[in-house]
Amino acid sequence: MARDWVQFIRGGRVVRLRAFQPRGTLLDWLRLEERSTGTKEACAEGDCGACTVVLARRRDGRLVYEPVNACIALVGQIDGAELITIEDLADGGPLHPVQQALAERHGSQCGFCTPGIVMSLFAHYHRPDRTGDRATVADVLAGNLCRCTGYRPIIDAALESCAGAAADRFAQDAPRRLAALAELDDGADVRVGDDASFFAAPASEAALAALLAAHPDATIVAGATDVGLWITKKLAPLAKIVHVGRVAGLDAVEDRADALVLGAALPLARAAPLLARLDPDIGELMRRFGSEQVRTSGTVGGNIANGSPIGDLAPVMIALGATVELRRGDTVRTLPVEDFFIAYGKQDRAPDEFVRRLIVPKPKPATRLRVVKISKRMDEDISAVMGAVALTLDGDHAAEARIAEARIAFGGMAGVPKRAAAVEAALVGARLADPAVWRTAAALIADDFTPLTDQRGSAAYRSQVATNLVVKILAEIAGVPADVTRVRPREERARVAS
Ligand SMILES: Cc1cc2nc3c(=O)[nH]c(=O)nc-3n(C[C@H](O)[C@H](O)[C@H](O)COP(=O)(O)OP(=O)(O)OC[C@H]3O[C@@H](n4cnc5c(N)ncnc54)[C@H](O)[C@@H]3O)c2cc1C
Ligand code: FES
Ligand code: FES
């Protein structure tokens, strides 16, 4: 079954779009076509959250409310969802509790960020597992930049309105809205446009493979948190878009005894709790991966397929020995993630091949994993250096153990995410608790990498950081207390220097 339109629910009605620019963003559709100008545009790159809207979807028989940056989402991507914007919340009636609390707590000044903040909090209001603590609310708002109010009144309003939230009119109407969404779920292949220019969203892997074989020049889009920026910032004239978000099973998860298998189209937000179970460091990394909005749309497959030298997942996957599964036509092949990255901008993937799954081995009991992201800001920032270290020890006691196996990978240190081969070689067979081993191994970072200088860090800074990280991580695994290995506060360093 196929259809030549994209369909979604808006204000209780089904909208069917039969003609639109394949590369058209959701924000442009809202502001320029529908003329719903409550949703704002500021950065147009997914950073500030002024454009946040909510997509309600049916998952496991219930409604989920997901915040999305409309500026970098493609309008075709929202097929099958209910689109909720700031205009819908009060809709002529009383303010939504989130809006009411923001008004009463003086959580808005110029108001430009406010619609986006309201929509992020509206999504949070509907999360069954929402907690009413400040740290959680700060994470929820990490992708919403307010330049003039200050976050204290905004967070106060969030805590007041979301803790113990009563059923609003959206929750009261949930059964009818769920039924309406179920009717849209037709399992059809979608293709809007002609052979020269189209937006397509195949419903099966076979249809995806056939479409890519016929159009190897098409751009694959998953969450569009990278591709969206090619459109808004590079003005890339993408004529043929193949969206993988509707492919049945491409977001599937398999929790095997020895490995976690993640479908390429699995959004980062859904992958995060599963990855956190492998190791708490990965959980913390995922908390700091973009923002709620970015994690809701962005996918694990997109983070590997984009070939980025500074993607956060790649070093972790390489350290864990993960493999990537690709499909072209009917042929499926698997290769280690580290071999997928050939050179800057070049991956081992044919144009008509797609990433199907990531197979992530679970760390063994004797494996010690450490993951460290170095970025300029704590929240919503891309890594300058991203390090992942997996050591397998030959004994339980760190003080006596030798290192049986070492897998150390860095992002931001070369044109591709890459293993530190010389550092690893120096560690295998060595005694973990010997500080001389740490320093000798760390010095070999200079042999393994020749980093670039860019706006995120100079080559010298990156080399020094990676060297320090090797020492810090080895010391930590050897059992040196964390307060010794932790970076000293700025004031203390200044005092020592003077
Ligand atoms: C504000 C902001 C913050 C961000 N923060 C981070 C961060 O902290 N850490 C980080 O690593 N990244 C970050 N990113 C980058 C981005 O979110 C991630 O790389 C994300 O995982 C990309 O996934 P996606 O599904 O959106 O990919 P898309 O944008 O849809 O695609 C990215 C690339 O992968 C290809 N592709 C996607 N899926 C497949 C597939 N199944 N098969 C073959 N090719 C495919 C596309 O053709 C494209 O080349 C951030 C981005 C933004 C806008
Ligand atoms: S306009 Fe800034 S995130 Fe969309
Ligand atoms: S109220 Fe002005 S940017 Fe937030």
Side-chain angles (χ1 to χ4, degrees):
M1 186 178 154
R3 60 178 147 85
D4 60 359
W5 67 87
V6 158
Q7 57 189 21
F8 54 92
I9 294 179
R10 178 91 180 107
R13 289 182 310 107
V14 177
V15 174
R16 293 197 170 86
L17 298 184
R18 292 170 194 277
F20 59 90
Q21 281 286 332
R23 63 194 279 288
T25 65
L26 176 55
L27 186 62
D28 278 354
W29 183 81
L30 277 169
R31 292 183 60 89
L32 305 177
E33 302 288 326
E34 197 187 58
R35 294 282 172 193
S36 294
T37 51
T39 307
K40 303 302 177 201
E41 177 171 30
C43 68
E45 60 182 42
D47 261 317
C48 76
C51 64
T52 304
V53 299
V54 166
L55 297 181
R57 293 188 186 272
R58 204 171 56 105
R59 191 165 304 130
D60 302 328
R62 66 177 191 85
L63 269 179
V64 292
Y65 295 73
E66 300 183 324
V68 165
N69 289 317
C71 65
I72 51 171
L74 304 187
V75 65
Q77 268 176 258
I78 74 167
D79 188 88
E82 178 186 5
L83 171 61
I84 306 174
T85 65
I86 190 70
E87 284 88 354
D88 302 311
L89 260 54
D91 196 21
L95 292 179
H96 187 273
V98 163
Q99 294 173 303
Q100 187 69 38
L102 271 171
E104 284 171 4
R105 293 276 182 167
H106 306 287
S108 175
Q109 286 188 36
C110 80
F112 205 79
C113 69
T114 310
I117 286 181
V118 168
M119 295 314 291
S120 285
L121 294 179
F122 171 74
H124 184 60
Y125 188 96
H126 285 277
R127 279 186 66 150
D129 61 344
R130 74 181 171 275
T131 47
D133 63 277
R134 280 196 118 72
T136 305
V137 171
D139 281 345
V140 164
L141 291 175
N144 290 90
L145 183 62
C146 176
R147 297 166 184 83
C148 50
T149 300
Y151 283 87
R152 204 257 309 138
I154 296 173
I155 292 176
D156 285 349
L159 290 171
E160 182 182 299
S161 56
C162 292
D168 61 7
R169 67 183 178 82
F170 291 87
Q172 287 162 11
D173 200 20
R176 190 194 58 75
R177 295 169 49 232
L178 265 171
L181 285 173
E183 273 186 37
L184 291 192
D185 190 6
D186 56 7
D189 292 323
V190 173
R191 179 145 165 207
V192 182
D194 55 28
D195 266 358
S197 169
F198 60 79
F199 177 93
S204 67
E205 276 194 35
L208 171 62
L211 191 64
L212 290 175
H215 298 275
D217 55 336
T219 302
I220 300 178
V221 172
T225 59
D226 284 319
V227 174
L229 276 75
W230 307 353
I231 294 168
T232 59
K233 296 293 154 177
K234 294 187 188 161
L235 308 182
L238 309 178
K240 301 179 184 179
I241 302 272
V242 176
H243 176 47
V244 297
R246 291 184 71 255
V247 175
L250 205 61
D251 63 348
V253 173
E254 207 185 314
D255 196 358
R256 296 184 192 157
D258 61 336
L260 185 62
V261 184
L262 304 176
L266 184 72
L268 295 156
R270 283 159 62 197
L274 306 168
L275 289 167
R277 264 188 249 147
L278 298 185
D279 190 277
D281 268 18
I282 314 183
E284 176 62 7
L285 175 71
M286 296 310 289
R287 186 181 74 79
R288 291 182 54 204
F289 193 121
S291 59
E292 285 258 342
Q293 292 94 320
V294 168
R295 295 189 295 269
T296 293
S297 297
T299 61
V300 291
N303 199 232
I304 300 297
N306 66 6
S308 168
I310 46 169
D312 280 346
L313 281 182
V316 183
M317 294 298 139
I318 293 172
L320 287 173
T323 48
V324 56
E325 194 176 270
L326 298 125
R327 175 168 170 176
R328 182 185 195 192
D330 291 331
T331 307
V332 174
R333 68 184 176 110
T334 305
L335 74 162
V337 170
E338 64 204 85
D339 295 343
F340 180 70
F341 302 97
I342 297 171
Y344 181 72
K346 190 166 168 16
Q347 297 89 49
D348 185 352
R349 182 178 75 79
D352 55 347
E353 196 168 34
F354 62 92
V355 175
R356 190 167 181 253
R357 306 195 295 178
L358 279 177
I359 299 140
V360 191
K362 293 184 175 170
K364 299 187 208 98
T367 305
R368 303 285 179 275
L369 187 76
R370 288 292 187 284
V371 172
V372 183
K373 171 170 176 164
I374 304 288
S375 58
K376 290 205 166 123
R377 285 191 312 255
M378 190 61 161
D379 286 319
E380 206 186 17
D381 203 2
I382 308 270
S383 305
V385 175
M386 171 69 218
V389 173
L391 299 185
T392 307
L393 307 181
D394 69 357
D396 288 341
H397 298 291
E400 291 111 53
R402 287 190 178 270
I403 299 167
E405 193 191 353
R407 295 183 65 91
I408 300 179
F410 278 96
M413 293 291 292
V416 289
K418 188 170 158 285
R419 280 175 81 175
V423 178
E424 289 178 359
L427 288 174
V428 173
R431 214 165 67 77
L432 171 65
D434 182 352
V437 169
W438 312 339
R439 284 189 220 102
T440 310
L444 294 170
I445 284 285
D447 292 1
D448 280 326
F449 300 104
T450 315
L452 285 175
T453 293
D454 65 15
Q455 72 274 22
R456 292 199 178 83
S458 66
Y461 168 80
R462 289 182 148 123
S463 290
Q464 188 65 61
V465 163
T467 306
N468 294 353
L469 282 181
V470 170
V471 174
K472 172 188 156 65
I473 289 172
L474 288 167
E476 246 180 59
I477 297 177
V480 175
D483 60 349
V484 177
T485 56
R486 194 180 300 146
V487 177
R488 279 174 298 175
R490 194 202 313 237
E491 294 74 10
E492 196 185 329
R493 272 184 282 138
R495 214 177 34 245
V496 171
S498 64

PDB file of all heavy atoms in Angstrom, residues 89-121:
ATOM      1  N   LEU A  89      -2.594  25.490  23.398  1.00  0.00           N
ATOM      2  CA  LEU A  89      -2.642  25.192  24.833  1.00  0.00           C
ATOM      3  C   LEU A  89      -3.818  25.847  25.545  1.00  0.00           C
ATOM      4  O   LEU A  89      -4.568  25.177  26.256  1.00  0.00           O
ATOM      5  CB  LEU A  89      -1.310  25.569  25.499  1.00  0.00           C
ATOM      6  CG  LEU A  89      -0.386  24.364  25.719  1.00  0.00           C
ATOM      7  CD1 LEU A  89      -0.147  23.595  24.438  1.00  0.00           C
ATOM      8  CD2 LEU A  89       0.895  24.762  26.377  1.00  0.00           C
ATOM      9  N   ALA A  90      -3.989  27.152  25.348  1.00  0.00           N
ATOM     10  CA  ALA A  90      -5.134  27.803  25.985  1.00  0.00           C
ATOM     11  C   ALA A  90      -6.330  27.782  25.025  1.00  0.00           C
ATOM     12  O   ALA A  90      -7.465  27.558  25.428  1.00  0.00           O
ATOM     13  CB  ALA A  90      -4.783  29.230  26.371  1.00  0.00           C
ATOM     14  N   ASP A  91      -6.046  27.984  23.740  1.00  0.00           N
ATOM     15  CA  ASP A  91      -7.070  27.923  22.697  1.00  0.00           C
ATOM     16  C   ASP A  91      -8.317  28.747  23.065  1.00  0.00           C
ATOM     17  O   ASP A  91      -9.443  28.241  23.007  1.00  0.00           O
ATOM     18  CB  ASP A  91      -7.428  26.450  22.442  1.00  0.00           C
ATOM     19  CG  ASP A  91      -8.180  26.290  21.113  1.00  0.00           C
ATOM     20  OD1 ASP A  91      -8.065  27.196  20.268  1.00  0.00           O
ATOM     21  OD2 ASP A  91      -8.876  25.275  20.938  1.00  0.00           O
ATOM     22  N   GLY A  92      -8.098  29.974  23.513  1.00  0.00           N
ATOM     23  CA  GLY A  92      -9.228  30.855  23.834  1.00  0.00           C
ATOM     24  C   GLY A  92      -9.776  30.664  25.237  1.00  0.00           C
ATOM     25  O   GLY A  92     -10.529  31.495  25.742  1.00  0.00           O
ATOM     26  N   GLY A  93      -9.415  29.571  25.893  1.00  0.00           N
ATOM     27  CA  GLY A  93      -9.903  29.291  27.244  1.00  0.00           C
ATOM     28  C   GLY A  93      -8.873  29.710  28.275  1.00  0.00           C
ATOM     29  O   GLY A  93      -7.996  30.539  27.993  1.00  0.00           O
ATOM     30  N   PRO A  94      -8.966  29.133  29.476  1.00  0.00           N
ATOM     31  CA  PRO A  94      -7.988  29.498  30.511  1.00  0.00           C
ATOM     32  C   PRO A  94      -6.584  29.045  30.123  1.00  0.00           C
ATOM     33  O   PRO A  94      -6.424  28.101  29.350  1.00  0.00           O
ATOM     34  CB  PRO A  94      -8.487  28.731  31.755  1.00  0.00           C
ATOM     35  CG  PRO A  94      -9.445  27.712  31.253  1.00  0.00           C
ATOM     36  CD  PRO A  94      -9.950  28.154  29.919  1.00  0.00           C
ATOM     37  N   LEU A  95      -5.590  29.721  30.673  1.00  0.00           N
ATOM     38  CA  LEU A  95      -4.197  29.336  30.398  1.00  0.00           C
ATOM     39  C   LEU A  95      -3.942  27.923  30.890  1.00  0.00           C
ATOM     40  O   LEU A  95      -4.545  27.476  31.875  1.00  0.00           O
ATOM     41  CB  LEU A  95      -3.236  30.296  31.114  1.00  0.00           C
ATOM     42  CG  LEU A  95      -3.176  31.741  30.622  1.00  0.00           C
ATOM     43  CD1 LEU A  95      -2.176  32.533  31.470  1.00  0.00           C
ATOM     44  CD2 LEU A  95      -2.783  31.807  29.152  1.00  0.00           C
ATOM     45  N   HIS A  96      -3.031  27.251  30.215  1.00  0.00           N
ATOM     46  CA  HIS A  96      -2.583  25.939  30.697  1.00  0.00           C
ATOM     47  C   HIS A  96      -1.842  26.165  32.022  1.00  0.00           C
ATOM     48  O   HIS A  96      -1.210  27.227  32.201  1.00  0.00           O
ATOM     49  CB  HIS A  96      -1.657  25.305  29.653  1.00  0.00           C
ATOM     50  CG  HIS A  96      -1.281  23.900  29.972  1.00  0.00           C
ATOM     51  ND1 HIS A  96      -0.212  23.574  30.774  1.00  0.00           N
ATOM     52  CD2 HIS A  96      -1.865  22.722  29.637  1.00  0.00           C
ATOM     53  CE1 HIS A  96      -0.146  22.249  30.900  1.00  0.00           C
ATOM     54  NE2 HIS A  96      -1.135  21.707  30.209  1.00  0.00           N
ATOM     55  N   PRO A  97      -1.874  25.195  32.956  1.00  0.00           N
ATOM     56  CA  PRO A  97      -1.191  25.391  34.244  1.00  0.00           C
ATOM     57  C   PRO A  97       0.276  25.826  34.103  1.00  0.00           C
ATOM     58  O   PRO A  97       0.772  26.623  34.913  1.00  0.00           O
ATOM     59  CB  PRO A  97      -1.296  24.021  34.913  1.00  0.00           C
ATOM     60  CG  PRO A  97      -2.512  23.392  34.304  1.00  0.00           C
ATOM     61  CD  PRO A  97      -2.635  23.941  32.920  1.00  0.00           C
ATOM     62  N   VAL A  98       0.954  25.339  33.070  1.00  0.00           N
ATOM     63  CA  VAL A  98       2.358  25.730  32.866  1.00  0.00           C
ATOM     64  C   VAL A  98       2.434  27.218  32.515  1.00  0.00           C
ATOM     65  O   VAL A  98       3.278  27.957  33.041  1.00  0.00           O
ATOM     66  CB  VAL A  98       2.981  24.866  31.731  1.00  0.00           C
ATOM     67  CG1 VAL A  98       4.246  25.485  31.220  1.00  0.00           C
ATOM     68  CG2 VAL A  98       3.225  23.439  32.208  1.00  0.00           C
ATOM     69  N   GLN A  99       1.545  27.673  31.646  1.00  0.00           N
ATOM     70  CA  GLN A  99       1.528  29.101  31.268  1.00  0.00           C
ATOM     71  C   GLN A  99       1.168  29.969  32.471  1.00  0.00           C
ATOM     72  O   GLN A  99       1.773  31.011  32.708  1.00  0.00           O
ATOM     73  CB  GLN A  99       0.499  29.322  30.152  1.00  0.00           C
ATOM     74  CG  GLN A  99       0.856  28.642  28.848  1.00  0.00           C
ATOM     75  CD  GLN A  99      -0.273  28.734  27.830  1.00  0.00           C
ATOM     76  OE1 GLN A  99      -1.392  28.300  28.100  1.00  0.00           O
ATOM     77  NE2 GLN A  99       0.016  29.271  26.662  1.00  0.00           N
ATOM     78  N   GLN A 100       0.158  29.505  33.215  1.00  0.00           N
ATOM     79  CA  GLN A 100      -0.316  30.262  34.377  1.00  0.00           C
ATOM     80  C   GLN A 100       0.832  30.460  35.376  1.00  0.00           C
ATOM     81  O   GLN A 100       1.065  31.565  35.875  1.00  0.00           O
ATOM     82  CB  GLN A 100      -1.467  29.473  35.040  1.00  0.00           C
ATOM     83  CG  GLN A 100      -2.186  30.196  36.150  1.00  0.00           C
ATOM     84  CD  GLN A 100      -3.008  31.370  35.631  1.00  0.00           C
ATOM     85  OE1 GLN A 100      -3.611  31.277  34.569  1.00  0.00           O
ATOM     86  NE2 GLN A 100      -2.992  32.474  36.371  1.00  0.00           N
ATOM     87  N   ALA A 101       1.564  29.358  35.643  1.00  0.00           N
ATOM     88  CA  ALA A 101       2.648  29.435  36.632  1.00  0.00           C
ATOM     89  C   ALA A 101       3.768  30.356  36.131  1.00  0.00           C
ATOM     90  O   ALA A 101       4.324  31.143  36.899  1.00  0.00           O
ATOM     91  CB  ALA A 101       3.189  28.032  36.914  1.00  0.00           C
ATOM     92  N   LEU A 102       4.085  30.280  34.821  1.00  0.00           N
ATOM     93  CA  LEU A 102       5.134  31.164  34.284  1.00  0.00           C
ATOM     94  C   LEU A 102       4.728  32.629  34.415  1.00  0.00           C
ATOM     95  O   LEU A 102       5.548  33.480  34.762  1.00  0.00           O
ATOM     96  CB  LEU A 102       5.402  30.829  32.808  1.00  0.00           C
ATOM     97  CG  LEU A 102       6.450  29.758  32.538  1.00  0.00           C
ATOM     98  CD1 LEU A 102       6.456  29.375  31.069  1.00  0.00           C
ATOM     99  CD2 LEU A 102       7.859  30.208  32.945  1.00  0.00           C
ATOM    100  N   ALA A 103       3.447  32.918  34.162  1.00  0.00           N
ATOM    101  CA  ALA A 103       2.967  34.301  34.280  1.00  0.00           C
ATOM    102  C   ALA A 103       3.041  34.761  35.738  1.00  0.00           C
ATOM    103  O   ALA A 103       3.541  35.853  36.034  1.00  0.00           O
ATOM    104  CB  ALA A 103       1.538  34.399  33.747  1.00  0.00           C
ATOM    105  N   GLU A 104       2.553  33.908  36.643  1.00  0.00           N
ATOM    106  CA  GLU A 104       2.505  34.309  38.061  1.00  0.00           C
ATOM    107  C   GLU A 104       3.894  34.441  38.680  1.00  0.00           C
ATOM    108  O   GLU A 104       4.119  35.270  39.549  1.00  0.00           O
ATOM    109  CB  GLU A 104       1.680  33.296  38.859  1.00  0.00           C
ATOM    110  CG  GLU A 104       0.191  33.466  38.617  1.00  0.00           C
ATOM    111  CD  GLU A 104      -0.634  32.351  39.222  1.00  0.00           C
ATOM    112  OE1 GLU A 104      -0.045  31.471  39.897  1.00  0.00           O
ATOM    113  OE2 GLU A 104      -1.853  32.352  39.007  1.00  0.00           O
ATOM    114  N   ARG A 105       4.825  33.609  38.211  1.00  0.00           N
ATOM    115  CA  ARG A 105       6.189  33.613  38.784  1.00  0.00           C
ATOM    116  C   ARG A 105       7.121  34.586  38.058  1.00  0.00           C
ATOM    117  O   ARG A 105       8.319  34.546  38.273  1.00  0.00           O
ATOM    118  CB  ARG A 105       6.780  32.208  38.713  1.00  0.00           C
ATOM    119  CG  ARG A 105       6.087  31.203  39.613  1.00  0.00           C
ATOM    120  CD  ARG A 105       6.665  31.316  40.993  1.00  0.00           C
ATOM    121  NE  ARG A 105       6.096  30.372  41.906  1.00  0.00           N
ATOM    122  CZ  ARG A 105       6.599  30.112  43.082  1.00  0.00           C
ATOM    123  NH1 ARG A 105       7.693  30.742  43.467  1.00  0.00           N
ATOM    124  NH2 ARG A 105       6.032  29.268  43.888  1.00  0.00           N
ATOM    125  N   HIS A 106       6.588  35.360  37.129  1.00  0.00           N
ATOM    126  CA  HIS A 106       7.397  36.307  36.348  1.00  0.00           C
ATOM    127  C   HIS A 106       8.499  35.564  35.578  1.00  0.00           C
ATOM    128  O   HIS A 106       9.653  35.987  35.564  1.00  0.00           O
ATOM    129  CB  HIS A 106       8.002  37.395  37.252  1.00  0.00           C
ATOM    130  CG  HIS A 106       6.972  38.090  38.074  1.00  0.00           C
ATOM    131  ND1 HIS A 106       6.064  38.990  37.549  1.00  0.00           N
ATOM    132  CD2 HIS A 106       6.659  37.974  39.386  1.00  0.00           C
ATOM    133  CE1 HIS A 106       5.257  39.411  38.491  1.00  0.00           C
ATOM    134  NE2 HIS A 106       5.581  38.810  39.612  1.00  0.00           N
ATOM    135  N   GLY A 107       8.118  34.468  34.940  1.00  0.00           N
ATOM    136  CA  GLY A 107       9.099  33.655  34.216  1.00  0.00           C
ATOM    137  C   GLY A 107       9.289  34.096  32.771  1.00  0.00           C
ATOM    138  O   GLY A 107       9.820  33.317  31.966  1.00  0.00           O
ATOM    139  N   SER A 108       8.851  35.296  32.421  1.00  0.00           N
ATOM    140  CA  SER A 108       8.995  35.757  31.040  1.00  0.00           C
ATOM    141  C   SER A 108       9.222  37.262  31.031  1.00  0.00           C
ATOM    142  O   SER A 108       8.547  38.007  31.752  1.00  0.00           O
ATOM    143  CB  SER A 108       7.713  35.420  30.269  1.00  0.00           C
ATOM    144  OG  SER A 108       7.778  35.942  28.968  1.00  0.00           O
ATOM    145  N   GLN A 109      10.181  37.720  30.206  1.00  0.00           N
ATOM    146  CA  GLN A 109      10.361  39.173  30.052  1.00  0.00           C
ATOM    147  C   GLN A 109      10.101  39.572  28.601  1.00  0.00           C
ATOM    148  O   GLN A 109       8.981  39.891  28.238  1.00  0.00           O
ATOM    149  CB  GLN A 109      11.746  39.586  30.538  1.00  0.00           C
ATOM    150  CG  GLN A 109      11.839  39.552  32.063  1.00  0.00           C
ATOM    151  CD  GLN A 109      13.123  40.146  32.580  1.00  0.00           C
ATOM    152  OE1 GLN A 109      13.637  41.112  32.033  1.00  0.00           O
ATOM    153  NE2 GLN A 109      13.640  39.575  33.658  1.00  0.00           N
ATOM    154  N   CYS A 110      11.105  39.460  27.710  1.00  0.00           N
ATOM    155  CA  CYS A 110      10.813  39.816  26.318  1.00  0.00           C
ATOM    156  C   CYS A 110       9.851  38.801  25.714  1.00  0.00           C
ATOM    157  O   CYS A 110       9.113  39.107  24.792  1.00  0.00           O
ATOM    158  CB  CYS A 110      12.093  39.906  25.503  1.00  0.00           C
ATOM    159  SG  CYS A 110      12.731  38.303  24.964  1.00  0.00           S
ATOM    160  N   GLY A 111       9.862  37.582  26.229  1.00  0.00           N
ATOM    161  CA  GLY A 111       8.890  36.579  25.807  1.00  0.00           C
ATOM    162  C   GLY A 111       9.267  35.788  24.572  1.00  0.00           C
ATOM    163  O   GLY A 111       8.525  34.898  24.166  1.00  0.00           O
ATOM    164  N   PHE A 112      10.442  36.084  23.984  1.00  0.00           N
ATOM    165  CA  PHE A 112      10.762  35.383  22.736  1.00  0.00           C
ATOM    166  C   PHE A 112      10.992  33.893  22.952  1.00  0.00           C
ATOM    167  O   PHE A 112      10.597  33.059  22.152  1.00  0.00           O
ATOM    168  CB  PHE A 112      11.994  36.021  22.073  1.00  0.00           C
ATOM    169  CG  PHE A 112      11.997  35.789  20.596  1.00  0.00           C
ATOM    170  CD1 PHE A 112      11.202  36.559  19.765  1.00  0.00           C
ATOM    171  CD2 PHE A 112      12.748  34.771  20.039  1.00  0.00           C
ATOM    172  CE1 PHE A 112      11.160  36.318  18.396  1.00  0.00           C
ATOM    173  CE2 PHE A 112      12.718  34.526  18.681  1.00  0.00           C
ATOM    174  CZ  PHE A 112      11.921  35.313  17.861  1.00  0.00           C
ATOM    175  N   CYS A 113      11.602  33.569  24.093  1.00  0.00           N
ATOM    176  CA  CYS A 113      11.874  32.153  24.379  1.00  0.00           C
ATOM    177  C   CYS A 113      10.645  31.446  24.942  1.00  0.00           C
ATOM    178  O   CYS A 113      10.608  30.223  25.002  1.00  0.00           O
ATOM    179  CB  CYS A 113      13.011  32.035  25.402  1.00  0.00           C
ATOM    180  SG  CYS A 113      12.514  32.612  27.051  1.00  0.00           S
ATOM    181  N   THR A 114       9.656  32.225  25.405  1.00  0.00           N
ATOM    182  CA  THR A 114       8.595  31.669  26.250  1.00  0.00           C
ATOM    183  C   THR A 114       7.745  30.583  25.575  1.00  0.00           C
ATOM    184  O   THR A 114       7.486  29.548  26.202  1.00  0.00           O
ATOM    185  CB  THR A 114       7.713  32.814  26.805  1.00  0.00           C
ATOM    186  OG1 THR A 114       8.581  33.803  27.372  1.00  0.00           O
ATOM    187  CG2 THR A 114       6.762  32.309  27.872  1.00  0.00           C
ATOM    188  N   PRO A 115       7.328  30.757  24.320  1.00  0.00           N
ATOM    189  CA  PRO A 115       6.539  29.669  23.724  1.00  0.00           C
ATOM    190  C   PRO A 115       7.295  28.336  23.735  1.00  0.00           C
ATOM    191  O   PRO A 115       6.713  27.286  24.015  1.00  0.00           O
ATOM    192  CB  PRO A 115       6.294  30.140  22.289  1.00  0.00           C
ATOM    193  CG  PRO A 115       6.424  31.622  22.352  1.00  0.00           C
ATOM    194  CD  PRO A 115       7.457  31.900  23.411  1.00  0.00           C
ATOM    195  N   GLY A 116       8.605  28.411  23.454  1.00  0.00           N
ATOM    196  CA  GLY A 116       9.408  27.175  23.444  1.00  0.00           C
ATOM    197  C   GLY A 116       9.533  26.584  24.836  1.00  0.00           C
ATOM    198  O   GLY A 116       9.453  25.364  25.022  1.00  0.00           O
ATOM    199  N   ILE A 117       9.713  27.448  25.825  1.00  0.00           N
ATOM    200  CA  ILE A 117       9.827  26.968  27.203  1.00  0.00           C
ATOM    201  C   ILE A 117       8.501  26.342  27.638  1.00  0.00           C
ATOM    202  O   ILE A 117       8.472  25.256  28.231  1.00  0.00           O
ATOM    203  CB  ILE A 117      10.273  28.118  28.133  1.00  0.00           C
ATOM    204  CG1 ILE A 117      11.765  28.380  27.879  1.00  0.00           C
ATOM    205  CG2 ILE A 117       9.996  27.791  29.607  1.00  0.00           C
ATOM    206  CD1 ILE A 117      12.399  29.450  28.707  1.00  0.00           C
ATOM    207  N   VAL A 118       7.407  26.988  27.307  1.00  0.00           N
ATOM    208  CA  VAL A 118       6.087  26.432  27.651  1.00  0.00           C
ATOM    209  C   VAL A 118       5.925  25.049  27.018  1.00  0.00           C
ATOM    210  O   VAL A 118       5.469  24.098  27.679  1.00  0.00           O
ATOM    211  CB  VAL A 118       4.948  27.379  27.181  1.00  0.00           C
ATOM    212  CG1 VAL A 118       3.588  26.691  27.264  1.00  0.00           C
ATOM    213  CG2 VAL A 118       4.940  28.657  28.004  1.00  0.00           C
ATOM    214  N   MET A 119       6.321  24.905  25.761  1.00  0.00           N
ATOM    215  CA  MET A 119       6.099  23.615  25.089  1.00  0.00           C
ATOM    216  C   MET A 119       6.997  22.510  25.671  1.00  0.00           C
ATOM    217  O   MET A 119       6.573  21.371  25.802  1.00  0.00           O
ATOM    218  CB  MET A 119       6.314  23.746  23.575  1.00  0.00           C
ATOM    219  CG  MET A 119       5.302  24.655  22.877  1.00  0.00           C
ATOM    220  SD  MET A 119       3.572  24.370  23.357  1.00  0.00           S
ATOM    221  CE  MET A 119       3.243  22.770  22.649  1.00  0.00           C
ATOM    222  N   SER A 120       8.232  22.874  26.046  1.00  0.00           N
ATOM    223  CA  SER A 120       9.097  21.866  26.688  1.00  0.00           C
ATOM    224  C   SER A 120       8.482  21.422  28.011  1.00  0.00           C
ATOM    225  O   SER A 120       8.470  20.232  28.344  1.00  0.00           O
ATOM    226  CB  SER A 120      10.498  22.435  26.955  1.00  0.00           C
ATOM    227  OG  SER A 120      11.217  22.496  25.763  1.00  0.00           O
ATOM    228  N   LEU A 121       7.968  22.401  28.768  1.00  0.00           N
ATOM    229  CA  LEU A 121       7.365  22.063  30.066  1.00  0.00           C
ATOM    230  C   LEU A 121       6.031  21.329  29.887  1.00  0.00           C
ATOM    231  O   LEU A 121       5.682  20.458  30.687  1.00  0.00           O
ATOM    232  CB  LEU A 121       7.186  23.320  30.921  1.00  0.00           C
ATOM    233  CG  LEU A 121       8.497  23.992  31.347  1.00  0.00           C
ATOM    234  CD1 LEU A 121       8.217  25.247  32.177  1.00  0.00           C
ATOM    235  CD2 LEU A 121       9.380  23.020  32.151  1.00  0.00           C
TER     236      LEU A 121
END
